[in-house]
Amino acid sequence: ARAIKYRQENQEAVGGFFSQIGELYVVHHLWAYKDLQSREETRNAAWTKRGWDENVYYTVPLIRTMESRIMIPLKISPLQ
């Protein structure tokens, strides 16, 4: 939740979810970007914000595995 406040300016957060069935407490974050260039710019800009590095420092030890996927919305998606 603290990480979201650093990223709200660009409104790229779509959703955050975690599982309670199957493999427990798997966290999923969905972020929307116009393109890969805007994704890179937004992610780099987060590092210029005071406190972001501290947030990452305390979060990283909690991560066992991490994946990143690029998904393209269908034409009927409101995320166009």
Side-chain angles (χ1 to χ4, degrees):
R2 282 183 292 190
I4 297 294
K5 75 176 183 178
Y6 291 101
R7 305 285 293 272
Q8 285 179 334
E9 288 177 16
N10 299 313
Q11 299 180 345
E12 76 263 25
V14 174
F17 312 93
F18 69 94
S19 63
Q20 293 183 330
I21 296 174
E23 189 174 353
L24 299 178
Y25 306 111
V26 174
V27 178
H28 300 273
H29 293 149
L30 300 178
W31 306 91
Y33 303 96
K34 177 182 170 188
D35 52 34
L36 290 175
Q37 180 65 35
S38 64
R39 176 185 181 268
E40 181 178 358
E41 291 167 2
T42 300
R43 291 170 57 85
N44 288 340
W47 289 102
T48 66
K49 296 179 181 167
R50 187 173 163 214
W52 175 252
D53 57 344
E54 184 178 332
N55 188 71
V56 172
Y57 176 82
Y58 288 109
T59 304
V60 168
L62 302 174
I63 300 171
R64 289 188 297 165
T65 62
M66 185 167 44
E67 287 183 35
S68 179
R69 296 182 184 168
I70 304 299
M71 301 186 305
I72 299 171
L74 295 172
K75 291 179 181 180
I76 60 170
S77 171
L79 295 176
Q80 290 297 320

